[in-house]
């Protein structure tokens, strides 16, 4: 069973109850197909390169948001709004959200190394969200 923030929000919307979403954690959401495509590009470029730099390469989206900002954008999309109507979203703090794992308030990673060595940047989370919504809503439509 696939679990991610997007699908969790859809399941919460189906319940038609207020959805409380953390607003003080800053993130750069990415969609798995974008990471997969970027990884293929990196592998292709490595195959045709005589040198590369070892290390960790991060693949963040091109901008940041909060989880609440992501949920607001998501439920404001025409395809999702058409299915669920107005959704009652409420911003909450990390302290109000009971979670077993401690989450950092700012968890952005830098994609500069990926860009400098391979010329690759991932699209903004808004662009990725639009593509993900189109893909997912086709599968969950009535």
């Amino acid at each position: 069973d696939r679990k991610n923030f997007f699908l969790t929000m859809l399941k919460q919307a189906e319940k038609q109850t207020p959805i409380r979403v953390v607003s003080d954690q800053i993130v750069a959401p990415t969609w798995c197909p974008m990471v997969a495509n970027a990884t293929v590009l990196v592998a292709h470029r490595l195959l045709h390169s005589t040198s590369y730099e070892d290390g960790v390469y991060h693949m963040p989206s091109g901008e940041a948001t909060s989880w609440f900002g992501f949920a607001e954008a998501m439920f404001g999309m025409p395809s999702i709004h058409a299915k669920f109507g107005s959704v009652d979203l409420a911003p909450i703090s990390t302290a109000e959200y009971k979670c077993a794992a401690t989450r950092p308030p700012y968890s952005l990673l830098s994609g500069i190394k990926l860009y400098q060595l391979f010329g690759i940047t991932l699209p903004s989370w808004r662009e990725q969200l639009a593509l993900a919504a189109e893909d997912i809503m086709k599968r969950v439509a009535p």
Side-chain angles (χ1 to χ4, degrees):
D1 189 27
R2 295 176 21 184
K3 291 182 183 178
N4 60 46
F5 184 80
F6 188 98
L7 294 175
T8 298
M9 289 295 102
L10 292 182
K11 287 178 186 172
Q12 291 298 313
E14 286 175 346
K15 295 178 184 177
Q16 297 181 339
T17 58
I19 303 172
R20 298 165 34 109
V21 184
V22 173
S23 63
D24 61 355
Q25 292 179 14
I26 304 304
V27 296
T30 56
W31 187 38
C32 291
M34 289 292 170
V35 173
N37 289 342
T39 301
V40 168
L41 284 173
V42 168
H44 183 268
R45 290 179 184 163
L46 284 173
L47 285 172
H48 297 85
S49 174
T50 56
S51 66
Y52 64 92
E53 187 176 325
D54 287 338
V56 176
Y57 293 82
H58 300 293
M59 294 183 179
S61 69
E63 64 180 288
T65 189
S66 67
W67 288 118
F68 181 77
F70 185 90
E72 268 189 321
M74 180 181 153
F75 288 116
M77 300 185 77
S79 62
I80 296 173
H81 186 73
K83 181 168 176 66
F84 296 103
S86 293
V87 175
D88 185 5
L89 286 177
I92 62 169
S93 69
T94 299
E96 294 173 273
Y97 182 71
K98 304 301 180 211
C99 183
T102 302
R103 305 283 184 209
Y106 188 84
S107 63
L108 298 183
L109 301 173
S110 173
I112 193 72
K113 185 176 175 182
L114 183 71
Y115 176 74
Q116 288 174 336
L117 296 172
F118 299 104
I120 297 170
T121 57
L122 270 62
S124 75
W125 65 267
R126 289 180 188 277
E127 292 175 64
Q128 293 182 57
L129 174 59
L131 294 169
E134 181 181 325
D135 180 62
I136 291 169
M137 294 309 289
K138 279 190 269 185
R139 290 186 265 132
V140 299

